[in-house]
Amino acid sequence: MGKRICGKNRIPILLAAGLTMLLAAAELYAAPRNGTAQNVDAPKSATLVALAYPPQLFSMSDPDCAQSSACQNLGPLEMQMLALVNADRLNPANAAETGGRALPLKWDPRLAEAALAHCEDMAAHGYFSHFDRSGRSPAQRVSATGVPWRALGENIAKNYTVVLAEQAFMNEPAFQANHRANILNPNYNYVGIGIFRAPDGWIYATQEFAQEP
């Protein structure tokens, strides 16, 4: 599930081929000068997407946290997804979409806090949505952590593994407002990722992207 929120204050894992399932939908948001994020695109209903992938080998490198305040809430699964996200941003095959301007994202523990809390809440209460049970949007949940964002995007996934979730995001059409666009957006400079494995084995993953001053 992918959202883009734009303009605040101005507006080694070897996988066997198989079937992955992902609940997905996308929405577009904008925030006017008063700072209140507004939905400017009608929400699309959640759909079940089935995608088959060939075996692939991924090399997981340690993320660079030198420029962030701390690498809090960065467990092995979050580290894995961060490496995948940054590899997708730097992949020359995606240069037409990034304009070659997408740099590796820096880690923001406040974004990670919001992401993990949302994953845990979805898993605990059996829902899958960008909006929490109180009706708060990603913009409201991230703003509550004190992140001074100028632009914001959120991807959420319920899947078997981190790798399959990221592959499903990136398998989406290019040049559209979707999960792939959030991952490749060159304007974002920070990210926080939360991943929670539910008792039934499914993982809930939330990626919070932000353009910060």
Side-chain angles (χ1 to χ4, degrees), residues 3 5 29 37 130-132 135-142 154:
K3 283 188 178 182
I5 303 168
Y29 279 70
H130 287 293
F131 291 86
D132 65 18
R136 294 188 305 165
S137 69
Q140 292 170 314
R141 289 185 278 105
V142 168
E154 178 180 89

Side-chain angles (χ1 to χ4, degrees), residues 1-3 22-26 46 128-130 154-157 169 179:
M1 184 169 284
K3 283 188 178 182
L22 175 71
L23 287 170
F128 186 77
S129 173
H130 287 293
E154 178 180 89
N155 289 345
I156 64 174
F169 287 157
H179 309 82

Side-chain angles (χ1 to χ4, degrees), residues 102-174:
L103 300 176
L105 295 169
K106 292 169 281 189
W107 185 258
D108 189 324
R110 297 167 298 180
L111 292 173
E113 176 187 359
L116 182 59
H118 192 52
C119 290
E120 291 176 335
D121 194 57
M122 287 192 294
H125 298 281
Y127 71 95
F128 186 77
S129 173
H130 287 293
F131 291 86
D132 65 18
R133 292 175 298 127
S134 299
R136 294 188 305 165
S137 69
Q140 292 170 314
R141 289 185 278 105
V142 168
S143 294
T145 69
V147 174
W149 58 272
R150 293 176 176 173
L152 183 69
E154 178 180 89
N155 289 345
I156 64 174
K158 179 182 178 182
N159 215 310
Y160 298 119
T161 70
V162 166
V163 173
L164 290 177
E166 184 70 11
Q167 284 184 317
F169 287 157
M170 291 301 296
N171 195 65
E172 293 177 343

Side-chain angles (χ1 to χ4, degrees), residues 65-114:
C65 295
Q67 299 183 60
S68 82
S69 58
C71 286
Q72 301 168 16
N73 295 340
L74 185 55
L77 294 180
E78 287 83 3
M79 184 181 296
Q80 183 183 36
M81 182 164 271
L82 176 59
L84 289 170
V85 166
N86 282 334
D88 287 330
R89 289 172 65 84
L90 296 175
N91 190 339
N94 301 325
E97 294 164 84
T98 66
R101 297 186 297 110
L103 300 176
L105 295 169
K106 292 169 281 189
W107 185 258
D108 189 324
R110 297 167 298 180
L111 292 173
E113 176 187 359

